[in-house]
Coordinates of all heavy atoms in Angstrom, one line a residue:
M868 N 117.5 -79.7 119.3 CA 117.6 -79.6 120.6 C 118.7 -80.2 121.2 O 119.2 -81.3 120.8 CB 116.3 -80.5 121.2 CG 116.0 -80.4 122.7 SD 114.5 -81.2 123.1 CE 113.2 -80.3 122.3
R869 N 119.4 -79.6 122.1 CA 120.6 -80.0 122.8 C 120.2 -80.6 124.1 O 119.7 -80.0 124.9 CB 121.5 -78.8 122.9 CG 122.9 -79.2 123.6 CD 123.8 -78.0 123.6 NE 124.9 -78.3 124.3 CZ 125.5 -77.7 125.3 NH1 125.0 -76.6 125.7 NH2 126.7 -78.0 125.8
I870 N 120.7 -81.8 124.4 CA 120.5 -82.5 125.6 C 121.8 -82.7 126.3 O 122.8 -83.1 125.7 CB 119.9 -84.0 125.3 CG1 118.7 -83.8 124.4 CG2 119.6 -84.6 126.6 CD1 117.4 -83.2 125.0
V871 N 121.9 -82.4 127.5 CA 123.2 -82.5 128.4 C 122.8 -83.3 129.5 O 121.9 -83.2 130.1 CB 123.6 -81.0 128.9 CG1 124.9 -81.0 129.5 CG2 123.6 -80.0 127.6
Y872 N 123.8 -84.2 129.8 CA 123.7 -85.1 130.8 C 124.8 -84.9 131.9 O 125.9 -84.6 131.5 CB 123.9 -86.6 130.3 CG 122.8 -86.9 129.3 CD1 123.2 -86.9 127.9 CD2 121.5 -87.3 129.5 CE1 122.3 -87.3 126.9 CE2 120.6 -87.5 128.5 CZ 121.1 -87.5 127.2 OH 120.1 -87.8 126.1
F873 N 124.4 -85.1 133.1 CA 125.5 -85.0 134.2 C 125.6 -86.1 135.1 O 124.6 -86.8 135.2 CB 125.1 -83.7 135.0 CG 125.2 -82.4 134.2 CD1 124.2 -81.8 133.6 CD2 126.5 -81.8 134.1 CE1 124.3 -80.6 133.0 CE2 126.6 -80.6 133.4 CZ 125.5 -80.0 132.8
A874 N 126.6 -86.3 135.8 CA 127.0 -87.3 136.7 C 126.5 -88.7 136.3 O 126.9 -89.1 135.2 CB 126.1 -86.9 138.1
W875 N 125.9 -89.5 137.2 CA 125.5 -90.9 136.7 C 124.6 -91.0 135.5 O 124.7 -92.0 134.8 CB 125.2 -91.7 137.9 CG 123.8 -91.4 138.5 CD1 123.7 -90.6 139.7 CD2 122.4 -91.6 138.1 NE1 122.3 -90.4 140.0 CE2 121.5 -91.0 138.9 CE3 121.9 -92.2 137.0 CZ2 120.1 -91.0 138.8 CZ3 120.5 -92.2 136.8 CH2 119.7 -91.6 137.8
V876 N 123.9 -89.9 135.3 CA 123.0 -90.0 134.0 C 123.9 -90.0 132.8 O 123.6 -90.7 131.9 CB 122.1 -88.8 134.0 CG1 121.1 -88.9 132.9 CG2 121.2 -88.7 135.2
R877 N 125.0 -89.1 132.9 CA 125.9 -89.2 131.7 C 126.6 -90.5 131.5 O 126.9 -91.0 130.5 CB 127.0 -88.1 132.0 CG 128.1 -88.1 130.9 CD 129.4 -87.3 131.3 NE 128.9 -85.9 131.7 CZ 129.7 -85.1 132.3 NH1 131.0 -85.3 132.4 NH2 129.3 -83.9 132.8
Q878 N 127.0 -91.0 132.7 CA 127.6 -92.4 132.6 C 126.7 -93.4 132.0 O 127.2 -94.3 131.1 CB 128.1 -92.9 134.1 CG 129.2 -92.1 134.6 CD 129.5 -92.4 136.1 OE1 128.6 -92.8 136.7 NE2 130.7 -92.1 136.5
R879 N 125.5 -93.5 132.4 CA 124.6 -94.5 131.8 C 124.3 -94.3 130.3 O 124.3 -95.2 129.6 CB 123.4 -94.5 132.6 CG 123.5 -95.1 134.1 CD 122.4 -95.3 134.9 NE 122.6 -95.7 136.2 CZ 121.8 -95.7 137.1 NH1 120.6 -95.5 137.0 NH2 122.1 -96.1 138.3
V880 N 124.0 -93.0 130.0 CA 123.8 -92.8 128.6 C 125.1 -92.8 127.7 O 125.0 -93.3 126.6 CB 123.4 -91.4 128.5 CG1 123.2 -90.9 126.9 CG2 121.9 -91.2 129.1
G881 N 126.3 -92.6 128.3 CA 127.5 -92.7 127.5 C 128.0 -91.5 126.8 O 129.0 -91.7 126.1
T882 N 127.3 -90.4 127.1 CA 127.8 -89.2 126.5 C 127.5 -88.1 127.3 O 126.4 -88.2 128.1 CB 127.3 -89.1 125.0 OG1 127.9 -88.0 124.3 CG2 125.7 -88.8 124.9
A883 N 128.3 -86.9 127.1 CA 127.9 -85.7 128.0 C 126.8 -84.9 127.3 O 126.0 -84.2 128.1 CB 129.2 -84.8 128.1
E884 N 126.7 -85.0 126.0 CA 125.6 -84.2 125.4 C 125.3 -84.8 124.0 O 126.2 -85.5 123.4 CB 126.0 -82.7 125.3 CG 127.3 -82.5 124.4 CD 127.5 -80.9 124.4 OE1 127.9 -80.4 125.5 OE2 127.4 -80.3 123.5
E885 N 124.3 -84.4 123.5 CA 123.8 -84.9 122.1 C 122.8 -83.9 121.6 O 122.2 -83.2 122.2 CB 123.3 -86.3 122.1 CG 122.1 -86.7 123.0 CD 121.7 -88.1 123.0 OE1 122.0 -88.8 122.1 OE2 121.2 -88.5 124.0
E886 N 122.7 -83.8 120.2 CA 121.7 -83.1 119.4 C 120.6 -84.0 119.1 O 121.0 -85.0 118.4 CB 122.3 -82.3 118.3 CG 123.2 -81.2 118.7 CD 122.6 -80.0 119.2 OE1 121.4 -79.8 118.8 OE2 123.2 -79.3 119.9
V887 N 119.3 -83.8 119.4 CA 118.3 -84.6 119.0 C 117.3 -84.0 118.3 O 117.1 -82.7 118.5 CB 117.8 -85.4 120.2 CG1 118.8 -86.3 120.8 CG2 117.0 -84.6 121.2
S888 N 116.5 -84.5 117.5 CA 115.3 -84.0 116.8 C 114.1 -84.8 117.2 O 113.7 -85.7 116.4 CB 115.4 -83.9 115.3 OG 116.6 -83.1 115.0
P889 N 113.4 -84.6 118.3 CA 112.3 -85.5 118.7 C 111.0 -85.1 117.9 O 111.0 -84.0 117.1 CB 112.0 -85.0 120.1 CG 112.9 -84.0 120.6 CD 113.7 -83.6 119.4
P890 N 110.2 -86.1 117.6 CA 109.0 -85.9 116.8 C 108.2 -84.7 117.4 O 108.2 -84.5 118.6 CB 108.4 -87.2 116.9 CG 108.8 -87.9 118.0 CD 110.2 -87.3 118.3
P891 N 107.4 -84.1 116.7 CA 106.5 -83.1 117.1 C 105.6 -83.4 118.3 O 105.2 -82.5 119.0 CB 105.6 -82.7 115.8 CG 106.2 -83.3 114.7 CD 107.1 -84.4 115.1
E892 N 105.2 -84.5 118.4 CA 104.4 -85.0 119.6 C 105.1 -84.9 120.9 O 104.4 -85.0 122.1 CB 103.7 -86.4 119.4 CG 104.7 -87.5 119.3 CD 104.9 -87.8 117.8 OE1 104.7 -87.0 116.9 OE2 105.5 -88.8 117.6
V893 N 106.4 -84.8 120.9 CA 107.1 -84.6 122.2 C 107.0 -83.1 122.4 O 107.7 -82.3 121.8 CB 108.7 -85.1 122.1 CG1 109.3 -84.7 123.3 CG2 108.6 -86.5 121.8
R894 N 106.2 -82.7 123.5 CA 106.0 -81.3 123.8 C 106.4 -80.8 125.0 O 106.5 -79.7 125.5 CB 104.5 -81.1 123.6 CG 104.0 -81.3 122.2 CD 102.6 -80.9 122.1 NE 102.1 -81.1 120.7 CZ 100.9 -81.6 120.5 NH1 100.2 -82.1 121.3 NH2 100.7 -81.9 119.2
D895 N 106.8 -81.8 126.0 CA 107.1 -81.5 127.3 C 108.4 -82.3 127.8 O 108.7 -83.4 127.2 CB 106.0 -81.5 128.3 CG 105.4 -82.9 128.3 OD1 105.9 -84.0 128.1 OD2 104.1 -82.9 128.7
V896 N 108.9 -82.1 129.2 CA 110.0 -82.8 129.5 C 109.7 -84.3 129.7 O 110.4 -85.2 129.3 CB 110.5 -82.3 130.8 CG1 111.5 -83.1 131.6 CG2 111.0 -80.8 130.7
G897 N 108.4 -84.6 130.2 CA 108.1 -86.0 130.5 C 108.0 -86.7 129.1 O 108.5 -87.9 129.0
G898 N 107.4 -86.1 128.1 CA 107.4 -86.7 126.7 C 108.8 -87.0 126.2 O 109.1 -87.9 125.6
L899 N 109.7 -85.9 126.5 CA 111.1 -86.1 125.9 C 111.8 -87.3 126.7 O 112.5 -88.1 126.1 CB 111.9 -84.9 126.3 CG 113.3 -84.9 125.8 CD1 113.4 -85.0 124.3 CD2 114.0 -83.5 126.3
V900 N 111.5 -87.5 128.0 CA 112.1 -88.6 128.8 C 111.6 -89.8 128.2 O 112.5 -90.8 127.9 CB 111.8 -88.4 130.3 CG1 112.1 -89.8 131.0 CG2 112.7 -87.4 130.9
R901 N 110.4 -89.9 128.0 CA 109.8 -91.2 127.4 C 110.4 -91.4 126.1 O 110.7 -92.6 125.6 CB 108.3 -91.2 127.3 CG 107.6 -91.3 128.7 CD 106.1 -91.4 128.6 NE 105.4 -90.1 128.0 CZ 105.3 -89.0 128.7 NH1 105.5 -88.9 130.0 NH2 104.6 -88.0 128.2
W902 N 110.5 -90.5 125.1 CA 111.1 -90.6 123.8 C 112.6 -91.1 123.9 O 112.9 -92.0 123.2 CB 110.8 -89.4 122.9 CG 111.4 -89.5 121.7 CD1 111.0 -90.1 120.6 CD2 112.8 -88.9 121.2 NE1 111.7 -90.0 119.5 CE2 112.8 -89.2 119.7 CE3 113.7 -88.1 121.8 CZ2 113.8 -88.9 118.9 CZ3 114.8 -87.8 121.0 CH2 114.9 -88.3 119.6
L903 N 113.4 -90.5 124.7 CA 114.7 -90.8 124.9 C 114.8 -92.1 125.4 O 115.6 -92.9 125.0 CB 115.5 -89.8 125.8 CG 115.6 -88.4 125.3 CD1 116.1 -87.4 126.4 CD2 116.8 -88.3 124.2
S904 N 114.1 -92.6 126.3 CA 114.1 -94.0 127.0 C 113.9 -95.0 125.8 O 114.4 -96.1 126.0 CB 113.0 -94.2 128.0 OG 113.3 -93.4 129.1
A905 N 113.2 -94.7 124.9 CA 113.0 -95.7 123.8 C 114.1 -95.7 122.7 O 113.9 -96.7 121.8 CB 111.5 -95.4 123.1
L906 N 114.9 -94.8 122.7 CA 116.0 -94.7 121.8 C 116.9 -96.0 121.8 O 117.2 -96.6 120.8 CB 117.0 -93.5 121.9 CG 116.3 -92.2 121.6 CD1 117.3 -91.1 121.8 CD2 115.8 -92.2 120.1
D907 N 117.4 -96.4 122.9 CA 118.3 -97.4 123.1 C 118.4 -97.9 124.5 O 117.9 -97.3 125.4 CB 119.6 -97.1 122.5 CG 120.3 -96.2 123.1 OD1 120.3 -95.9 124.3 OD2 121.0 -95.3 122.4
E908 N 119.1 -99.0 124.8 CA 119.2 -99.5 126.2 C 119.9 -98.5 127.1 O 119.7 -98.5 128.4 CB 119.7 -100.8 126.4 CG 121.1 -101.1 125.8 CD 121.5 -102.5 125.6 OE1 120.8 -103.4 125.2 OE2 122.8 -102.9 126.0
R909 N 120.9 -97.8 126.6 CA 121.6 -97.0 127.5 C 120.7 -95.8 128.0 O 120.6 -95.6 129.2 CB 122.8 -96.2 126.7 CG 123.9 -97.4 126.4 CD 125.0 -96.6 125.5 NE 124.3 -96.2 124.4 CZ 124.8 -95.0 123.7 NH1 125.8 -94.4 124.1 NH2 124.2 -94.5 122.6
H910 N 119.9 -95.2 127.1 CA 119.0 -94.2 127.5 C 117.9 -94.8 128.5 O 117.4 -94.2 129.4 CB 118.2 -93.5 126.2 CG 119.2 -92.6 125.6 ND1 120.1 -93.2 124.6 CD2 119.3 -91.2 125.7 CE1 120.8 -92.0 124.1 NE2 120.4 -91.0 124.7
A911 N 117.4 -96.1 128.2 CA 116.5 -96.7 129.0 C 117.0 -96.8 130.4 O 116.2 -96.6 131.4 CB 116.0 -98.0 128.4
A912 N 118.3 -97.2 130.5 CA 118.9 -97.4 131.8 C 119.1 -96.1 132.6 O 118.6 -96.0 133.9 CB 120.2 -98.0 131.7
A913 N 119.3 -95.0 131.8 CA 119.4 -93.7 132.6 C 118.1 -93.2 133.0 O 117.9 -92.6 134.2 CB 120.1 -92.7 131.6
F914 N 117.1 -93.6 132.3 CA 115.7 -93.0 132.7 C 114.8 -94.2 133.4 O 113.6 -94.0 133.3 CB 115.1 -92.3 131.6 CG 115.8 -91.1 131.1 CD1 116.5 -91.0 130.0 CD2 115.7 -90.0 131.8 CE1 117.2 -90.0 129.5 CE2 116.4 -88.8 131.4 CZ 117.1 -88.8 130.3
A915 N 115.3 -95.2 133.8 CA 114.6 -96.4 134.2 C 113.7 -96.0 135.4 O 112.6 -96.4 135.5 CB 115.5 -97.5 134.7
N916 N 114.2 -95.0 136.3 CA 113.3 -94.4 137.2 C 113.3 -92.9 137.1 O 114.1 -92.2 137.7 CB 113.8 -94.9 138.7 CG 112.7 -94.4 139.7 OD1 111.9 -93.6 139.5 ND2 113.0 -95.0 140.9
P917 N 112.4 -92.4 136.3 CA 112.4 -91.0 136.0 C 112.4 -90.1 137.3 O 112.7 -88.9 137.3 CB 111.1 -90.6 135.2 CG 110.8 -92.1 134.8 CD 111.3 -93.1 135.7
R918 N 111.8 -90.6 138.4 CA 111.7 -89.8 139.7 C 113.3 -89.5 140.3 O 113.4 -88.6 141.0 CB 110.9 -90.5 140.7 CG 109.5 -90.5 140.4 CD 108.6 -91.2 141.3 NE 109.1 -92.6 141.2 CZ 108.5 -93.6 141.8 NH1 107.5 -93.4 142.6 NH2 108.8 -94.9 141.6
L919 N 114.1 -90.4 139.8 CA 115.5 -90.1 140.2 C 116.4 -89.0 139.5 O 117.5 -88.8 139.6 CB 116.4 -91.5 140.2 CG 115.8 -92.4 141.3 CD1 116.6 -93.7 141.3 CD2 115.8 -91.8 142.6
V920 N 115.7 -88.6 138.3 CA 116.4 -87.6 137.5 C 115.7 -86.3 137.4 O 114.5 -86.2 137.3 CB 116.4 -88.2 136.1 CG1 117.0 -87.3 134.9 CG2 117.0 -89.7 136.0
R921 N 116.5 -85.1 137.6 CA 116.0 -83.9 137.5 C 116.2 -83.3 136.2 O 117.1 -83.8 135.5 CB 116.6 -83.0 138.5 CG 116.3 -83.4 140.0 CD 114.8 -83.4 140.3 NE 114.6 -83.9 141.8 CZ 114.0 -85.0 142.1 NH1 113.8 -85.9 141.1 NH2 113.9 -85.4 143.3
A922 N 115.5 -82.2 135.7 CA 115.7 -81.7 134.5 C 115.8 -80.1 134.7 O 115.2 -79.5 135.5 CB 114.5 -82.1 133.5
A923 N 116.5 -79.5 133.7 CA 116.4 -78.0 133.5 C 116.2 -77.8 132.0 O 116.8 -78.4 131.2 CB 117.7 -77.4 134.0
V924 N 115.5 -76.8 131.7 CA 115.1 -76.4 130.3 C 115.8 -74.9 130.2 O 115.3 -74.1 131.0 CB 113.7 -76.5 129.9 CG1 113.7 -75.8 128.5 CG2 113.2 -77.8 130.0
N925 N 116.7 -74.8 129.4 CA 117.4 -73.5 129.3 C 117.9 -72.9 130.6 O 117.8 -71.8 130.9 CB 116.4 -72.5 128.4 CG 116.2 -72.9 127.1 OD1 117.0 -73.6 126.4 ND2 114.9 -72.8 126.7
Q926 N 118.5 -73.9 131.3 CA 119.1 -73.6 132.7 C 118.2 -73.1 133.8 O 118.5 -72.7 134.7 CB 120.2 -72.5 132.5 CG 121.3 -73.0 131.4 CD 122.4 -72.0 131.4 OE1 122.5 -71.1 131.9 NE2 123.4 -72.4 130.4
D927 N 116.9 -73.4 133.6 CA 115.9 -73.3 134.7 C 115.3 -74.6 135.0 O 114.9 -75.4 134.1 CB 114.7 -72.4 134.2 CG 115.2 -71.0 134.0 OD1 116.0 -70.5 134.9 OD2 114.7 -70.2 133.1
F928 N 115.2 -75.0 136.3 CA 114.6 -76.2 136.7 C 113.3 -76.4 136.2 O 112.4 -75.4 136.0 CB 114.6 -76.3 138.3 CG 115.8 -76.4 138.9 CD1 116.4 -75.4 139.8 CD2 116.5 -77.6 138.9 CE1 117.6 -75.7 140.3 CE2 117.6 -77.9 139.6 CZ 118.3 -76.9 140.3
A929 N 113.0 -77.6 135.7 CA 111.8 -77.9 135.0 C 111.2 -79.2 135.4 O 111.8 -80.2 135.6 CB 111.9 -77.8 133.5
G930 N 109.8 -79.3 135.5 CA 109.0 -80.5 135.9 C 108.7 -81.2 134.6 O 109.0 -80.7 133.6
P931 N 108.1 -82.4 134.8 CA 107.8 -83.2 133.6 C 106.7 -82.5 132.7 O 106.7 -82.8 131.5 CB 107.1 -84.4 134.3 CG 107.0 -84.2 135.7 CD 107.7 -83.1 136.1
D932 N 106.0 -81.6 133.2 CA 105.0 -80.9 132.3 C 105.5 -79.5 131.6 O 104.7 -78.9 130.9 CB 103.8 -80.5 133.2 CG 103.1 -81.7 133.7 OD1 103.2 -82.8 133.0 OD2 102.5 -81.6 134.8
H933 N 106.8 -79.3 131.9 CA 107.4 -78.1 131.4 C 107.5 -78.3 129.8 O 108.0 -79.3 129.3 CB 108.8 -77.8 131.9 CG 109.3 -76.4 131.6 ND1 109.8 -76.1 130.4 CD2 109.4 -75.3 132.4 CE1 110.2 -74.9 130.4 NE2 109.9 -74.4 131.6
P934 N 107.1 -77.4 129.2 CA 107.3 -77.5 127.6 C 108.7 -77.5 127.1 O 109.5 -76.8 127.7 CB 106.5 -76.3 127.0 CG 106.3 -75.3 128.1 CD 106.5 -76.1 129.5
V935 N 109.0 -78.3 126.1 CA 110.2 -78.2 125.3 C 109.9 -78.0 123.8 O 108.9 -78.3 123.3 CB 111.0 -79.5 125.4 CG1 111.4 -79.7 126.9 CG2 110.2 -80.7 124.9
R936 N 110.9 -77.2 123.2 CA 110.8 -76.9 121.8 C 112.1 -77.0 121.1 O 113.2 -77.0 121.8 CB 110.4 -75.3 121.7 CG 109.1 -75.1 122.4 CD 108.8 -73.5 122.3 NE 107.4 -73.3 123.0 CZ 107.3 -73.1 124.2 NH1 108.3 -73.2 125.2 NH2 106.1 -72.9 124.8
P937 N 112.1 -77.1 119.8 CA 113.4 -77.2 119.0 C 114.2 -75.9 119.4 O 113.7 -74.9 119.6 CB 112.9 -77.2 117.6 CG 111.5 -77.6 117.5 CD 111.0 -77.2 118.9
G938 N 115.5 -76.2 119.5 CA 116.4 -75.1 120.0 C 116.7 -75.0 121.4 O 117.6 -74.3 121.8
D939 N 115.9 -75.7 122.2 CA 116.0 -75.6 123.7 C 117.2 -76.5 124.1 O 117.6 -77.4 123.3 CB 114.8 -76.3 124.5 CG 113.6 -75.3 124.6 OD1 113.8 -74.2 124.3 OD2 112.5 -75.8 125.0
E940 N 117.8 -76.1 125.2 CA 118.8 -76.9 125.9 C 118.1 -77.6 127.0 O 117.6 -76.9 127.9 CB 120.1 -76.2 126.3 CG 121.0 -77.0 127.1 CD 122.0 -76.2 127.7 OE1 121.9 -75.7 128.9 OE2 123.2 -76.0 127.1
V941 N 118.3 -78.9 127.2 CA 117.6 -79.6 128.2 C 118.6 -80.5 128.9 O 119.4 -81.1 128.2 CB 116.4 -80.6 127.6 CG1 115.8 -81.3 128.9 CG2 115.4 -79.8 126.9
A942 N 118.8 -80.2 130.2 CA 119.8 -80.9 131.1 C 119.2 -82.0 131.9 O 118.2 -81.6 132.5 CB 120.6 -80.0 131.9
F943 N 119.8 -83.1 132.0 CA 119.2 -84.1 133.0 C 120.4 -84.3 134.0 O 121.5 -84.5 133.6 CB 118.9 -85.4 132.2 CG 117.6 -85.2 131.4 CD1 117.8 -85.0 130.0 CD2 116.5 -85.2 131.9 CE1 116.7 -85.0 129.2 CE2 115.3 -85.0 131.2 CZ 115.5 -84.8 129.9
F944 N 120.0 -84.5 135.3 CA 121.0 -84.7 136.4 C 120.3 -85.4 137.5 O 119.0 -85.2 137.7 CB 121.7 -83.5 136.8 CG 120.6 -82.3 136.9 CD1 120.2 -82.1 138.2 CD2 120.2 -81.5 135.9 CE1 119.2 -81.0 138.4 CE2 119.3 -80.5 136.0 CZ 118.7 -80.3 137.4
P945 N 121.1 -86.0 138.5 CA 120.5 -86.6 139.7 C 120.1 -85.4 140.6 O 120.7 -84.4 140.5 CB 121.5 -87.5 140.1 CG 122.8 -87.0 139.7 CD 122.5 -86.3 138.3
P946 N 119.2 -85.8 141.6 CA 118.9 -84.8 142.6 C 120.2 -84.4 143.4 O 121.1 -85.3 143.5 CB 118.1 -85.6 143.7 CG 117.4 -86.6 142.7 CD 118.6 -87.0 141.7
V947 N 120.3 -83.2 143.7 CA 121.5 -82.6 144.5 C 121.0 -82.5 145.9 O 120.0 -81.7 146.1 CB 122.0 -81.4 143.8 CG1 123.1 -80.8 144.5 CG2 122.3 -81.5 142.3
T948 N 122.0 -82.8 146.8 CA 121.7 -82.5 148.2 C 122.9 -81.5 148.7 O 124.0 -81.8 148.2 CB 121.7 -83.9 149.1 OG1 122.8 -84.5 148.9 CG2 120.5 -84.6 148.7
G949 N 122.7 -80.9 149.6 CA 123.6 -80.0 150.2 C 123.7 -80.1 151.7 O 122.9 -80.6 152.3
G950 N 124.8 -79.6 152.2 CA 124.9 -79.6 153.7 C 125.5 -78.5 154.2 O 126.0 -77.6 153.7

């Protein structure tokens, strides 16, 4: 699974992207966030308040219940506002 980070999420994690192999019990975006948060303090800092992080799975916006599978690309980014 390819994980891509943008903006301040990238800064906190310390990398723009990484390949991960979550355990089989990680089945959705919410589970992936919890699993990533437990990896180390950088990931924990990035996901300290999951409501401040948005996700996209294979370039489509996704909520915490959206399924994830091996081979997916999951992006994490802060909410975006426009004007």
Side-chain angles (χ1 to χ4, degrees):
M868 184 178 298
R869 180 175 179 233
I870 309 294
V871 183
Y872 304 102
F873 293 96
W875 61 258
V876 181
R877 175 191 313 170
Q878 292 173 337
R879 290 184 186 169
V880 172
T882 188
E884 63 183 69
E885 59 186 331
E886 291 287 330
V887 298
S888 297
E892 57 269 13
V893 173
R894 296 184 181 136
D895 57 28
V896 170
L899 180 60
V900 167
R901 288 186 295 279
W902 181 77
L903 288 168
S904 294
L906 289 180
D907 58 41
E908 62 187 41
R909 294 174 305 146
H910 288 85
F914 295 107
N916 187 347
R918 290 177 292 188
L919 297 179
V920 180
R921 300 293 181 258
V924 177
N925 299 322
Q926 300 183 1
D927 288 324
F928 286 110
D932 296 331
H933 192 283
V935 294
R936 296 176 181 84
D939 282 347
E940 177 189 86
V941 182
F943 291 107
F944 48 91
V947 178
T948 60

